[in-house]
Each structure stands twice: as structure tokens, then as C-alpha cells.
Amino acid sequence: MKDTPWYRKLWVQIVLGLALGVIYGIVAAANGWGEFTDDWISPFGDVFFNGLQLIAVPLVIASLVIGVASLSDMRKVSRIGGKTIVIYVATTALAVCIGLSYANLVRPGDYVPEALRGELATQYEEAAASRQGAAEAMMEERGPLSILQDIVPDNVISSTSSNRNMLQVVFLALMFGIALLRIPKEKGAPLLAFFEGLEAVVVEFVGIVMKVAPLGVFALIARAITGMAGDDPQQVAQLLGALGFYCIVVVAGLATQMLVVYPLVLKFLTPIRWRRFFPAAAQVQLVAFSTSSSGATLPVTMDRAQRDLGVSEEVSSFVLPLGATINMDGTALYQAVAALFIAQSLGLSVGLEGQLTIVLTAVLVSIGTAAVPGAGIIMLVIILQAIGVPAEGVALILGVDRLLDMIRTATNVTGDLTVASAVAASEGQLSDVAR
Ligand code: ASP
């Protein structure tokens, strides 16, 4: 069989789409083509984004039901589940500690000029209030065990009708798979055959959606840039300049997590070589970067984990949907840096107790953050409240949030892939494609 020429490789085309999107976005922002971009370019981005979102719920249901039903015993399910959650939480806690150390060392908040602080507070007042409102509505009347109430849905249709409830979908599919495992084989056979067919269709569907990925990525990036630039592109440059230290600290933290922590996890817990891991992860990272949603990226994450990293279907169909929902290392790291940055720029000091509170709340809050664009900054409000910093402070960082969202989402999905590889390796369920 002949090799595909390099320029026809999907990831090359996606990188091209990304680069052209950046170029177009900058030209469009400079020339005020925002409206044209919204009308004629953005829809292609939505088609790609929606296509991925559309397939995420059926994919999780089909693969998880089959995954569980093919496991011969329940002990295995709980063993894999336990391991997965421990590694997810450990990598997230580490990410928060990295973010905190960098933010304490550099103190980016000290570099924000007084005048700019006032300007940003007025300019983003409304946007900040809406984030605050959303966070407060979420926290209303919530007890300590509310997470349990959140996981168990009371209705099949409503729980599967939104990609924000992925944890409920995971629960539903798990229970369904377990019940299917327990009933007599001949009774369950037609259902199992149905889910096997559904899975095959869904996998094919992902392949079709990915064909438009280069165009979709182009459009998403172009919109992100023109959206950020708004009516005054010069203002973005100014904002990036003024918040430069903050952005650098977040990006340096994310780079450490991506280039040091994950390679170490891979080295010690898997036989995968990181030189093989990163090309496999690149396509997933690119989709995460342009969609800013680990939920929408999930179909691609699962596909690449199985094909390029050799993670078995059984492990990937359980570990990855769970990861897209609860494992957000990039988001947690960003939230820790942002919380300290806001405190520092408001002249408030956060002592040891406050910093420990950040570690705890950032880990918990990142678990509860929905895998959709911009969710991280809403949940940041909860962390700010926990350490007694005024939530209006999010106004300071809103202007550069979209950009950081893209990078933290790429980190989130890399974490999911890393942990899936580690769990698969520990279960002897990793083929040798990436060794
Ligand atoms: N966009 C992120 C994700 O989907 C969540 C966030 O940090 O806003 O992974």
C-alpha cells in the first residue's frame, strides 16, 4: 500500500487551516471585517464544532455499554475506575501546585498598572457580573454531597440532551452496561448487537466530520481572533502587553505540565515513548485548541487513543469520557494562577492557608467544570470566594481568557490521553503501536 503524501495527511491540513486562520484573523481584525467573518466564515466553524458535539453522547453511550458488557467481572470495573480517579486527581493537584509556585515566584499581579485596573474593571464590569451570576446560581442551595445528586440523572432524555452532563451520561451508560451483563445472554444479545452497530456507525461518523476539520479549524480560529479584537484591534495588543506576565505564567505552567509532567508519567507508567506520544496527541491538541472544548474533542481523543497509542477500547471508552468531564489539569492550573494574579493586583495577600484552599478548591472545582468553552472562568468565581477575593476581579482577565482557554483545553486533553495510556499499560491493555 502506498503511503499518503505528507500534504494529504489530515494533521498537516489541520495545521495549515490553523495557520491560515491566524493570518486571515489578523488581516480581518485589522481591516474591520468582523461582520463579514461572522456571516460567512464562522458558520463553517459551527458546523465542525456541532458535528463533534453531536456525536459525543452517542459515542460515550455505545462504547461504554459495550465496554462494560464485555468485561467479565465487576471487580475489574471498580479496579480500573479507582486507578483512573486516583491518577486524574494526582495529576490535577500537581498542576495546581505548579501554577501556584510560578505565580508566587513571578507575582504577575504586581505588574498591572493602577490605571489599567480601573479601566478593565469598568470595561468588563457587565461580563464579569454575568460570570459571577452563573457561578452563584450553580452554587445555590448546594450541600456537601451535591456531587452525588449531580451524577445520578432522573431522566434519560434530559440527561443525554446536553453535553454539559457528560458525567450523567457516563453513569447512565455504566449502569446500562452492568445490567446488560447481568441478564441472561440470549435476552441481552439483540441490545448488544444494536450497540455494536451504533458504535461502528458513530466511529464512521467521526471520520466524516474530521474530513472538514481543516476548514472548521480555520473558521474557529478566524472567529476567535476577530472576536477578541472586537472593534479595536490595537486594544488587544495593549491588553496582551499589560497582562503579559500573567499570560506568560499561565502558559509556562501549562508547558511544564505538558512537557515535563506528562512525559514523566509516560516514562514511569507506560512503555510509550514520548516521541511517539506527541505526534499522536497533536491532532487531538489541535482540535482542542481550536474548539476550546474537551467535550467536543472527545470523539477525536478516543479515536486517536485507540489507533495511535494502542489503548484498548475497553479502557479508552471508560477512562476518556470520564477524563473529558473530570480531569482538567490545564483548567485547574489556570484557575490557581488567575486567583493569585487577581489577589496580587488588588493588593490582597494570600497566606499559606489561602494557598492550600486554592489547591483544594481548584482540584474540586476543575472536576465540576463543564468541558465547554469559557467554563473555567465561571468556576474561578467559586475559588475567589473561597479565599475572600472580590469576584469582580475576573474583569481583569476576561480580555485574554479566550486565548488561554484554547491552550488550557489542549493541556486538558493531553492529560486525558496520558492517563488513559497509563491505565491501559497497568491493565496490560496497551498494544505496541506507540512503543
Ligand atoms: N474549555 C475548557 C475545556 O473544555 C474548560 C475551561 O477551562 O474553560 O476543557
Side-chain angles (χ1 to χ4, degrees):
M1 206 172 72
K2 254 177 59 188
D3 266 354
T4 326
W6 66 270
Y7 55 88
R8 295 199 57 185
K9 290 209 165 100
L10 186 60
W11 73 266
V12 175
Q13 296 189 351
I14 296 180
V15 172
L16 209 65
L18 186 97
L20 291 175
V22 171
I23 297 172
Y24 169 85
I26 293 173
V27 174
N31 290 296
W33 301 344
E35 213 181 301
F36 173 82
T37 309
D38 281 348
D39 288 348
W40 295 99
I41 307 280
S42 283
F44 294 104
D46 287 332
V47 166
F48 173 57
F49 185 75
N50 292 351
L52 288 175
Q53 296 244 68
L54 179 65
I55 211 63
V57 168
L59 175 66
V60 172
I61 293 183
S63 54
L64 210 49
V65 168
I66 297 171
V68 176
S70 61
L71 285 177
S72 40
D73 73 285
M74 271 313 295
R75 264 184 315 188
K76 206 164 162 189
V77 180
S78 32
R79 191 180 64 227
I80 297 182
K83 246 189 256 184
T84 305
I85 289 172
V86 168
I87 314 183
Y88 274 155
V89 172
T91 48
T92 309
L94 198 60
V96 176
C97 293
I98 293 172
L100 279 184
S101 330
Y102 286 11
N104 278 308
L105 216 66
V106 180
R107 298 196 53 86
D110 294 351
Y111 298 91
V112 182
E114 181 87 43
L116 178 79
R117 207 188 309 149
E119 231 174 81
L120 290 174
T122 333
Q123 192 182 343
Y124 291 100
E125 194 181 359
E126 229 173 89
S130 87
R131 304 312 192 273
Q132 205 180 331
E136 273 157 14
M138 212 177 299
M139 293 309 290
E140 238 168 54
E141 295 169 20
R142 293 175 68 86
L145 292 181
S146 55
I147 180 123
L148 286 182
Q149 290 159 301
D150 289 348
I151 292 176
V152 185
D154 65 351
N155 185 295
V156 175
I157 307 288
S158 63
S159 62
T160 51
S161 69
S162 154
N163 285 29
R164 285 180 169 263
N165 296 335
M166 211 45 110
L167 215 51
Q168 295 191 346
V169 177
V170 170
F171 177 84
L172 178 70
L174 265 178
M175 293 305 289
F176 203 95
I178 292 170
L180 194 56
L181 190 70
R182 292 162 66 110
I183 61 173
K185 261 208 166 67
E186 62 285 1
K187 274 207 170 140
L191 259 182
L192 196 57
F194 166 78
F195 281 111
E196 278 167 355
L198 179 65
E199 196 193 28
V201 167
V202 163
V203 168
E204 195 56 36
F205 195 118
V206 177
I208 300 172
V209 174
M210 284 308 285
K211 285 202 192 321
V212 298
L215 179 62
V217 166
F218 167 82
L220 287 170
I221 297 289
R223 175 171 56 194
I225 295 180
T226 50
M228 256 187 283
D231 302 328
D232 183 5
Q234 262 182 348
Q235 187 206 324
V236 182
Q238 272 169 8
L239 208 58
L240 282 175
L243 298 179
F245 280 108
Y246 160 66
C247 295
I248 290 171
V249 171
V250 174
V251 174
L254 295 175
T256 309
Q257 183 77 7
M258 189 113 79
L259 302 174
V260 179
V261 175
Y262 297 146
L264 285 177
V265 173
L266 288 171
K267 186 171 166 51
F268 289 112
L269 299 181
T270 78
I272 294 179
R273 280 194 264 158
W274 72 272
R275 267 196 233 109
R276 301 293 297 269
F277 177 83
F278 277 100
Q283 195 172 315
V284 183
Q285 291 168 334
L286 284 170
V287 174
F289 181 81
S290 38
T291 58
S292 283
S293 163
S294 19
T297 312
L298 182 61
V300 189
T301 319
M302 289 181 66
D303 186 50
R304 291 297 103 185
Q306 287 169 15
R307 273 184 222 236
D308 293 346
L309 296 175
V311 178
S312 74
E313 208 181 315
E314 191 179 300
V315 168
S316 64
S317 62
F318 177 69
V319 176
L320 290 172
L322 203 65
T325 324
I326 69 166
N327 182 48
M328 295 201 181
D329 301 347
T331 298
L333 189 152
Y334 143 84
Q335 286 166 334
V337 176
L340 269 194
F341 169 77
I342 293 171
Q344 289 164 358
S345 48
L346 296 179
L348 302 166
S349 75
V350 182
L352 188 64
E353 199 185 316
Q355 310 242 357
L356 287 177
T357 310
I358 295 181
V359 177
L360 201 71
T361 44
V363 171
L364 290 176
V365 153
S366 72
I367 292 175
T369 303
V372 296
I377 199 163
I378 297 178
M379 304 302 270
L380 174 64
V381 171
I382 298 168
I383 301 179
L384 292 177
Q385 284 170 347
I387 56 169
V389 170
E392 293 75 21
V394 294
L396 294 178
I397 56 168
L398 260 166
V400 290
D401 199 60
R402 176 66 210 228
L403 183 67
L404 297 180
D405 193 3
M406 295 162 109
I407 309 175
R408 67 186 186 243
T409 309
T411 312
N412 290 343
V413 296
T414 314
D416 298 343
L417 283 174
T418 306
V419 176
S421 308
V423 173
S426 75
E427 288 289 318
Q429 294 208 39
L430 191 71
S431 73
D432 56 6
V433 284
R435 286 179 204 200

